[in-house]
């Protein structure tokens, strides 16, 4: 496998757009059809154009592109049993949590500051706390301001759907190309257990009546978006014993109504978060239960598996939040947009993602040709760009891939506390990481010390840095082929 | 004949402000306050007080 000349990792650390541009112009396109082969075979080119730089709507794009959320619309029209509106925390990474709420003007300043510094930025979303469609005036004001300054940024919103139908036409006019609706039920009897009340038509509804109105509005909103060609992602919170089995039905309903992606997320319900579910002792599913359920849904609406359940003010690549670098007190009052870094970065990505795609196709073909049943679960430490380029001790998450005769699939991620603290490994942390890696056969990383390697092996997990800086899929195919005893000399990794 | 907001419990989401039919709610000095002279308790406009109906925190938007 030919290694491309440009390393994304070094590019995103550069300080000037000049350096990026030089990198973009250096080197030749490694594949014969620059800019076209990275499109997945199951997607038409119009859809690919819409998702190719949206990290949440495309698993492929999430290796390259970043999003940011601005918390400008805190008012909400429904209460969910997994949400505590009083919660606000700097250290938690989960939906609804923010450190500061912004006015549309403050949001514009923040978006410009991030766009100037984070070359991967491609999407601006409004995703809580609160509902972007209900607190509509602030959502609209923010998008209008940002679109006039940075016309090429993709706009997207997250909504519970209750106030969605009344704004669909405006969403289309404002060129909001991606919408996420949280749909946890299609049966109001299930909805009643998740939503204690809604506020609709100037009054509060409770019980089955509330869930019925919410359900009807969600379905209507989804159908209206599909009619207008706006891509929709459906988020569903998997709540064991409440709606877990029911989500099979939800998947069918949303597929029939044109949903592009279905994202089944685990309920987060620590008692300390103070949510109704948390205090009632309702548990969330573990990583294996979630994956088993997602596997059952294969064949229905296409599943999203790379969601990180990020903060409502997250900034950066999905797995690496940089929000704390861009709080209002760190942003100058006067700021002009400079798109140099973003444009240069896009040029680089357009060139190297084809090389990645070609490597990936070759790897998948290798795996498919090894004629032995069985699958391999591989956890990868990566900083983006589709490569194994993170040290074991620095990883905040591992991306999990499954290699089997059907190919190499991304199946999810496991969050961990980084093992390494200022050069020293912590044994207690390593224990937690081993627990988080339950069911994993191999760990691939850029570097790992002998001591953690040995302890992982004692727990039945083989870790190696032999494939450091290789493309993820290329390394996995080499591992898979080796594990199944094929001829090592054929491997190029 | 007026409602008030218990500021220490308020999440400052601001839903009450835009639901209020009498423009009685304002963000003043780091908190939302209801002007008792303007508040009509929604009489003649809605069946129930809009601020209290939309408020996400129990017993935070209450009769003064």
């Amino acid at each position: 496998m030919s290694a491309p000349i440009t390393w994304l990792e070094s590019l995103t650390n550069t300080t000037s757009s000049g350096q990026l541009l030089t990198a973009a112009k250096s080197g030749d396109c490694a594949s014969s059809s620059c800019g076209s082969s990275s499109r997945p075979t199951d997607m038409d080119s119009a859809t690919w154009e819409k998702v190719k730089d949206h990290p949440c709507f495309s698993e492929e794009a999430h290796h390259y592109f970043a999003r940011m959320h601005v918390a400008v619309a805190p008012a909400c029209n429904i209460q969910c049993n997994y949400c505590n509106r009083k919660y606000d925390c700097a250290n938690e990474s989960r939906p609804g949590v923010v450190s500061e709420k912004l006015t549309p003007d403050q949001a514009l300043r923040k978006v410009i500051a991030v766009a100037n510094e984070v070359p991967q930025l491609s999407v601006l979303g409004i995703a809580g706390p609160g509902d972007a469609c209900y607190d509509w005036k602030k959502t609209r004001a923010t998008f209008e301001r940002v679109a006039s300054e940075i016309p090429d940024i993709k706009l997207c919103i997250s909504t519970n759907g209750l106030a969605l139908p009344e704004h669909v036409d405006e969403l289309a006019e404002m060129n909001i190309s991606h919408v996420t609706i949280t749909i946890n039920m299609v049966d109001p009897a299930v909805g009643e257990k998740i939503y204690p009340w809604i506020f609709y038509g100037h009054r509060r509804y409770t019980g089955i009546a509330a869930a019925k109105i919410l359900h009807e509005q969600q379905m209507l909103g989804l159908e209206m978006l599909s009619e207008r060609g706006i891509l929709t992602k459906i988020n569903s919170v998997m709540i064991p014993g409440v709606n877990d089995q029911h989500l099979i039905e939800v998947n069918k309903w949303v597929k029939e109504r044109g949903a592009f992606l279905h994202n089944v997320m685990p309920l987060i319900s620590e008692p300390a978060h103070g949510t109704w579910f948390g205090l009632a002792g309702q548990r969330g599913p573990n990583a294996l239960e979630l994956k088993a359920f997602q596997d059952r849904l294969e064949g229905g609406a296409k599943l999203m598996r790379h969601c990180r359940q990020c903060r409502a003010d997250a900034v950066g690549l999905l797995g690496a939040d940089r929000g704390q670098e861009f709080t209002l007190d760190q942003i100058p009052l006067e700021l002009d947009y400079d798109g140099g870094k973003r444009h240069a970065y896009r040029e680089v990505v357009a060139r190297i993602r084809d090389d990645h795609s070609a490597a990936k196709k070759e790897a998948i073909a290798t795996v498919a040709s090894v004629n032995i049943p069985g699958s391999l679960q591989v956890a990868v430490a990566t900083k983006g760009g589709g490569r194994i380029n993170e040290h074991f001790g620095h990883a905040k998450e591992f991306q999990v891939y499954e290699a089997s005769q059907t190919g190499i699939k991304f199946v999810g991620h496991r969050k961990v506390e980084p093992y390494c603290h200022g050069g020293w490994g912590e044994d207690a942390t390593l224990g937690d990481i081993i627990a988080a890696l339950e069911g994993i056969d191999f760990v691939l990383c850029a570097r790992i010390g002998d001591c953690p390697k040995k302890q992982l092996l004692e727990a039945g997990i083989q870790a190696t840095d032999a494939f450091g800086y290789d493309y993820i899929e290329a390394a996995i195919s080499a591992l898979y082929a080796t594990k199944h005893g094929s001829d090592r000399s054929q491997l190029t990794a | 004949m007026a409602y008030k907001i218990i500021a220490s419990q308020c999440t400052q989401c601001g839903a009450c402000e835009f639901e209020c039919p009498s423009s009685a709610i304002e963000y003043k000095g780091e908190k939302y306050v209801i002007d008792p002279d303007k508040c009509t308790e929604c009489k003649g406009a809605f069946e129930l007080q809009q601020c209290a109906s939309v408020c996400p925190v129990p017993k935070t938007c209450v009769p003064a």
Side-chain angles (χ1 to χ4, degrees):
Chain A
M1 202 121 333
S2 66
I5 302 125
T6 313
W7 297 95
L8 263 188
E9 194 185 342
S10 61
L11 290 179
T12 50
N13 293 332
T14 55
T15 47
S16 77
S17 54
Q19 279 170 282
L20 265 168
L21 268 175
T22 312
K25 283 169 187 153
S26 73
D28 296 318
C29 182
S31 75
S32 55
S33 55
C34 209
S36 61
S37 76
S38 42
R39 169 162 64 91
T41 46
D42 60 348
M43 201 180 284
D44 62 78
S45 53
T47 308
W48 173 241
E49 280 307 311
K50 287 184 189 168
V51 301
K52 70 176 189 185
D53 55 0
H54 196 310
C56 309
F57 278 69
S58 161
E59 193 266 313
E60 200 267 354
H62 108 278
H63 293 288
Y64 300 106
F65 288 102
R67 51 70 181 105
M68 71 177 290
H69 291 155
V70 286
V72 293
C76 197
N77 49 358
I78 73 178
Q79 180 64 47
C80 306
N81 280 333
Y82 47 75
C83 175
N84 174 8
R85 307 267 198 94
K86 294 205 78 167
Y87 204 84
D88 165 2
C89 178
N91 302 313
E92 283 283 342
S93 185
R94 60 192 172 87
V97 166
V98 288
S99 291
E100 51 190 16
K101 291 167 193 162
L102 309 172
T103 64
D105 284 323
Q106 289 169 331
L108 174 64
R109 250 171 70 208
K110 182 166 171 169
V111 176
I112 291 175
V114 173
N116 288 354
E117 288 304 316
V118 180
Q120 301 102 322
L121 182 70
S122 60
V123 175
L124 168 67
I126 298 179
D131 188 82
C133 284
Y134 176 59
D135 209 341
W136 178 247
K137 281 186 185 162
K138 291 181 208 150
T139 298
R140 190 176 59 199
T142 303
F143 281 156
E144 281 170 353
R145 271 161 234 206
V146 172
S148 71
E149 290 283 333
I150 312 176
D152 72 333
I153 199 163
K154 279 202 159 57
L155 303 176
C156 103
I157 62 161
S158 244
T159 175
N160 59 48
L162 183 58
L164 173 62
E166 59 197 89
H167 297 297
V168 169
D169 284 324
E170 279 172 284
L171 290 170
E173 279 162 31
M174 290 167 68
N175 210 14
I176 291 166
S177 47
H178 301 72
V179 172
T180 296
I181 316 172
T182 302
I183 300 179
N184 297 316
M185 53 87 195
V186 291
D187 177 358
V190 176
E192 194 183 18
K193 298 174 195 158
I194 304 169
Y195 306 103
W197 58 264
I198 68 165
F199 185 79
Y200 180 71
H202 298 290
R203 60 167 283 203
R204 188 185 276 213
Y205 292 83
T206 57
I208 205 108
K212 190 166 178 290
I213 294 168
L214 178 63
H215 164 63
E216 284 164 4
Q217 291 290 100
Q218 288 177 333
M219 294 302 127
L220 177 61
L222 172 57
E223 287 163 10
M224 291 173 77
L225 291 168
S226 296
E227 278 166 22
R228 286 157 185 81
I230 296 173
L231 287 188
T232 50
K233 173 161 71 66
I234 306 304
N235 278 355
S236 296
V237 182
M238 179 178 172
I239 311 160
V242 175
N243 74 343
D244 48 348
Q245 298 309 311
H246 180 61
L247 290 180
I248 294 169
E249 193 66 15
V250 172
N251 184 275
K252 278 187 206 148
W253 279 59
V254 301
K255 186 186 183 185
E256 281 165 17
R257 285 158 184 80
F260 176 71
L261 262 188
H262 190 192
N263 176 22
V264 177
M265 311 177 293
L267 170 73
I268 300 172
S269 61
E270 299 284 315
H273 300 155
T275 63
W276 191 88
F277 277 142
L279 297 173
Q282 170 67 52
R283 72 173 186 99
N286 67 32
L288 291 177
E289 286 173 315
L290 178 71
K291 184 192 172 288
F293 185 73
Q294 288 173 333
D295 289 347
R296 276 185 67 192
L297 289 175
E298 283 294 343
K302 191 170 153 47
L303 292 181
M304 172 184 187
R305 301 207 189 220
H306 61 285
C307 176
R308 306 297 199 284
Q309 296 182 285
C310 61
R311 291 169 59 93
D313 56 5
V315 172
L317 292 170
L318 297 195
D321 189 27
R322 297 179 61 182
Q324 296 307 307
E325 294 169 44
F326 296 98
T327 51
L328 277 185
D329 56 354
Q330 300 174 79
I331 301 172
L333 281 171
E334 296 294 328
L335 205 56
D336 288 322
Y337 172 55
D338 170 7
K341 277 193 197 177
R342 288 182 63 237
H343 293 304
Y345 179 79
R346 276 160 188 257
E347 280 188 41
V348 177
V349 168
R351 191 159 51 75
I352 71 169
R353 81 193 304 187
D354 261 11
D355 186 69
H356 179 196
S357 175
K360 194 167 158 179
K361 276 182 190 149
E362 196 179 319
I364 289 169
T366 305
V367 164
S369 71
V370 177
N371 201 16
I372 296 169
S375 73
L376 201 62
Q377 307 290 322
V378 184
V380 179
T382 175
K383 287 191 220 181
R387 291 180 184 274
I388 302 159
N389 52 8
E390 178 68 292
H391 291 208
F392 176 80
H394 299 164
K396 289 181 182 150
E397 62 164 36
F398 290 90
Q399 299 198 6
V400 180
Y401 289 77
E402 183 177 274
S404 69
Q405 266 192 291
T406 55
I408 300 171
K409 264 195 327 191
F410 176 88
V411 293
H413 71 283
R414 309 278 179 93
K415 275 182 196 156
V416 295
E417 278 296 314
Y419 164 67
C420 201
H421 299 274
W424 297 94
E426 301 244 350
D427 283 348
T429 313
L430 187 59
D432 291 342
I433 295 174
I434 289 171
L437 292 175
E438 188 191 347
I440 298 294
D441 301 307
F442 276 92
V443 171
L444 301 179
C445 50
R447 284 297 301 275
I448 183 167
D450 287 339
C451 180
K453 202 169 167 176
K454 193 167 156 261
Q455 288 195 45
L456 281 162
L457 194 60
E458 280 164 13
I461 303 166
Q462 297 187 59
T464 177
D465 50 19
F467 300 99
Y469 302 96
D470 282 356
Y471 281 128
I472 295 168
E473 294 85 359
I476 292 172
S477 77
L479 255 186
Y480 184 80
T482 310
K483 186 173 181 272
H484 288 294
S486 88
D487 183 0
R488 256 180 174 281
S489 64
Q490 287 176 3
L491 305 173
T492 50
Chain B
M1 276 294 286
Y3 265 59
K4 68 173 179 185
I5 294 164
I6 315 281
S8 60
Q9 302 185 136
C10 172
T11 68
Q12 304 192 348
C13 76
C16 56
E17 183 193 20
F18 67 76
E19 292 294 351
C20 177
S22 349
S23 304
I25 304 181
E26 252 189 290
Y27 191 64
K28 266 188 183 169
E30 305 289 293
K31 60 183 182 183
Y32 282 97
V33 288
I34 301 180
D35 181 344
D37 293 334
K38 287 188 185 170
C39 176
T40 63
E41 295 194 358
C42 293
K43 287 206 170 73
F46 297 106
E47 202 182 321
L48 284 167
Q49 292 75 27
Q50 296 294 289
C51 54
S53 300
V54 75
C55 182
V57 190
K59 296 178 188 158
T60 295
C61 202
V62 292

